[in-house]
Amino acid sequence: EVQLVESGGGLVQAGGSLRLSCAASGFTFDDYAIGWFRQAPGKEREGVSCISSTQGSTYYADSVKGRFTISSDNAKNTVYLQMNSLKPEDTATYYCAADTVSVCRLTDALTMGVPWYNGWGQGTQVTVSS
C-alpha cells in the first residue's frame, strides 16, 4: 500500500522558516508525483506544491510561489517542502500524498486535484504567529 508520513511542522513566527518532510513507502517512488496539501480550519484542502522527478516538473500554488520550494531525495524515498517567509495565512495542517500518473497534473481551474491523490499521511501542523 501507498504510505506516506509527514513531519517537520511546528510553531514559527511570521517571516520564519520550516522544512517539512514526507517519507514514502509501499510503492516505487519514481512512478508517482508527490503533492503537498494543506487544510486550515473551516477551509477545503488545497494543493500547495507538487513534484514529479520522472517528468522533472514542479508546481506551486500562487499563494506560496517564491516562498516555498519542493524537492525530492529518491534514494531516501522522501520529499521535502522548504517553507520560507511564512505568513499567518500559511497556518494549516500539511499533508502529502501520491498521484499515480507521475506528473503534476492540474484541474481545469489550474489547481491540484485532491481526488487524484492517494496514501494521505497523518498530517503535520504548521502554525505561524503574527
Side-chain angles (χ1 to χ4, degrees):
E1 296 183 2
V2 176
Q3 299 180 43
L4 302 104
V5 179
E6 305 93 338
S7 63
L11 174 64
V12 64
Q13 291 184 320
S17 299
L18 288 171
R19 189 177 76 157
L20 307 184
S21 298
C22 173
S25 63
F27 62 97
T28 302
F29 189 85
D30 288 338
D31 290 342
Y32 291 77
I34 305 297
W36 281 101
F37 298 77
R38 66 186 181 187
Q39 188 165 24
K43 295 185 178 180
E44 295 183 344
R45 188 167 299 187
E46 63 175 344
V48 175
S49 184
C50 176
I51 187 168
S52 172
S53 295
T54 301
Q55 297 294 326
S57 62
T58 58
Y59 163 85
Y60 298 95
D62 288 343
S63 58
V64 307
K65 193 172 298 182
R67 300 187 297 118
F68 292 8
T69 303
I70 192 168
S71 62
S72 64
D73 185 338
N74 289 1
K76 296 182 178 180
N77 248 28
T78 301
V79 172
Y80 304 96
L81 185 67
Q82 180 66 45
M83 309 164 64
N84 297 328
S85 302
L86 284 163
K87 304 175 180 179
E89 49 263 46
D90 295 319
T91 295
T93 301
Y94 283 71
Y95 302 88
C96 61
D99 185 1
T100 57
V101 302
S102 191
V103 64
C104 292
R105 56 175 172 172
L106 303 177
T107 68
D108 290 342
L110 302 181
T111 61
M112 296 165 61
V114 172
W116 295 331
Y117 287 80
N118 302 284
W120 297 93
Q122 81 286 353
T124 186
Q125 178 66 37
V126 172
T127 302
V128 184
S129 62
S130 302

